[in-house]
PDB file of all heavy atoms in Angstrom:
ATOM      1  N   PHE S 295     162.015 171.982 311.801  1.00 90.00           N
ATOM      2  CA  PHE S 295     161.663 171.464 310.478  1.00 90.00           C
ATOM      3  C   PHE S 295     161.323 172.607 309.521  1.00 90.00           C
ATOM      4  O   PHE S 295     161.764 172.632 308.368  1.00 90.00           O
ATOM      5  CB  PHE S 295     160.466 170.516 310.617  1.00 90.00           C
ATOM      6  CG  PHE S 295     160.222 169.647 309.411  1.00 90.00           C
ATOM      7  CD1 PHE S 295     160.727 168.365 309.351  1.00 90.00           C
ATOM      8  CD2 PHE S 295     159.477 170.113 308.335  1.00 90.00           C
ATOM      9  CE1 PHE S 295     160.503 167.556 308.242  1.00 90.00           C
ATOM     10  CE2 PHE S 295     159.242 169.319 307.223  1.00 90.00           C
ATOM     11  CZ  PHE S 295     159.761 168.032 307.175  1.00 90.00           C
ATOM     12  N   ARG S 296     160.557 173.577 310.011  1.00 90.00           N
ATOM     13  CA  ARG S 296     160.168 174.702 309.154  1.00 90.00           C
ATOM     14  C   ARG S 296     161.381 175.552 308.779  1.00 90.00           C
ATOM     15  O   ARG S 296     161.488 176.031 307.650  1.00 90.00           O
ATOM     16  CB  ARG S 296     159.111 175.562 309.849  1.00 90.00           C
ATOM     17  CG  ARG S 296     158.583 176.709 308.985  1.00 90.00           C
ATOM     18  CD  ARG S 296     157.455 177.454 309.666  1.00 90.00           C
ATOM     19  NE  ARG S 296     156.251 176.655 309.770  1.00 90.00           N
ATOM     20  CZ  ARG S 296     155.364 176.504 308.781  1.00 90.00           C
ATOM     21  NH1 ARG S 296     155.579 177.094 307.611  1.00 90.00           N
ATOM     22  NH2 ARG S 296     154.293 175.774 308.957  1.00 90.00           N
ATOM     23  N   ARG S 297     162.317 175.749 309.720  1.00 87.00           N
ATOM     24  CA  ARG S 297     163.525 176.509 309.398  1.00 87.00           C
ATOM     25  C   ARG S 297     164.342 175.812 308.317  1.00 87.00           C
ATOM     26  O   ARG S 297     164.944 176.454 307.461  1.00 87.00           O
ATOM     27  CB  ARG S 297     164.382 176.711 310.653  1.00 87.00           C
ATOM     28  CG  ARG S 297     163.875 177.777 311.601  1.00 87.00           C
ATOM     29  CD  ARG S 297     164.955 178.196 312.584  1.00 87.00           C
ATOM     30  NE  ARG S 297     165.374 177.100 313.434  1.00 87.00           N
ATOM     31  CZ  ARG S 297     164.862 176.838 314.633  1.00 87.00           C
ATOM     32  NH1 ARG S 297     163.894 177.603 315.116  1.00 87.00           N
ATOM     33  NH2 ARG S 297     165.306 175.820 315.352  1.00 87.00           N
ATOM     34  N   GLU S 298     164.370 174.484 308.366  1.00 87.00           N
ATOM     35  CA  GLU S 298     165.183 173.727 307.407  1.00 87.00           C
ATOM     36  C   GLU S 298     164.509 173.608 306.043  1.00 87.00           C
ATOM     37  O   GLU S 298     165.154 173.752 305.001  1.00 87.00           O
ATOM     38  CB  GLU S 298     165.461 172.329 307.972  1.00 87.00           C
ATOM     39  CG  GLU S 298     166.307 171.443 307.080  1.00 87.00           C
ATOM     40  CD  GLU S 298     167.774 171.837 307.054  1.00 87.00           C
ATOM     41  OE1 GLU S 298     168.186 172.714 307.836  1.00 87.00           O
ATOM     42  OE2 GLU S 298     168.515 171.267 306.237  1.00 87.00           O
ATOM     43  N   TYR S 299     163.195 173.331 306.041  1.00 87.00           N
ATOM     44  CA  TYR S 299     162.519 173.001 304.787  1.00 87.00           C
ATOM     45  C   TYR S 299     161.482 174.026 304.328  1.00 87.00           C
ATOM     46  O   TYR S 299     160.964 173.924 303.217  1.00 87.00           O
ATOM     47  CB  TYR S 299     161.840 171.632 304.909  1.00 87.00           C
ATOM     48  CG  TYR S 299     162.814 170.506 305.141  1.00 87.00           C
ATOM     49  CD1 TYR S 299     162.839 169.822 306.353  1.00 87.00           C
ATOM     50  CD2 TYR S 299     163.725 170.140 304.156  1.00 87.00           C
ATOM     51  CE1 TYR S 299     163.737 168.788 306.573  1.00 87.00           C
ATOM     52  CE2 TYR S 299     164.629 169.108 304.368  1.00 87.00           C
ATOM     53  CZ  TYR S 299     164.630 168.437 305.579  1.00 87.00           C
ATOM     54  OH  TYR S 299     165.528 167.424 305.792  1.00 87.00           O
ATOM     55  N   GLY S 300     161.156 174.992 305.183  1.00 89.00           N
ATOM     56  CA  GLY S 300     160.193 176.005 304.785  1.00 89.00           C
ATOM     57  C   GLY S 300     158.752 175.550 304.813  1.00 89.00           C
ATOM     58  O   GLY S 300     157.883 176.180 304.189  1.00 89.00           O
ATOM     59  N   CYS S 301     158.460 174.460 305.508  1.00 90.00           N
ATOM     60  CA  CYS S 301     157.084 173.972 305.615  1.00 90.00           C
ATOM     61  C   CYS S 301     156.936 173.215 306.926  1.00 90.00           C
ATOM     62  O   CYS S 301     157.917 172.948 307.620  1.00 90.00           O
ATOM     63  CB  CYS S 301     156.736 173.061 304.431  1.00 90.00           C
ATOM     64  SG  CYS S 301     157.716 171.538 304.393  1.00 90.00           S
ATOM     65  N   ARG S 333     170.890 175.117 303.482  1.00 31.00           N
ATOM     66  CA  ARG S 333     170.502 175.804 304.703  1.00 31.00           C
ATOM     67  C   ARG S 333     170.811 174.928 305.896  1.00 31.00           C
ATOM     68  O   ARG S 333     170.618 173.722 305.866  1.00 31.00           O
ATOM     69  CB  ARG S 333     169.005 176.120 304.676  1.00 31.00           C
ATOM     70  CG  ARG S 333     168.615 177.127 303.629  1.00 31.00           C
ATOM     71  CD  ARG S 333     167.122 177.261 303.543  1.00 31.00           C
ATOM     72  NE  ARG S 333     166.559 177.659 304.821  1.00 31.00           N
ATOM     73  CZ  ARG S 333     165.252 177.609 305.082  1.00 31.00           C
ATOM     74  NH1 ARG S 333     164.413 177.175 304.196  1.00 31.00           N
ATOM     75  NH2 ARG S 333     164.799 177.995 306.255  1.00 31.00           N
TER      76      ARG S 333
END
Side-chain angles (χ1 to χ4, degrees):
F295 195 95
R296 184 175 291 278
R297 283 196 297 267
E298 181 74 8
Y299 297 112
C301 64
R333 293 173 58 193

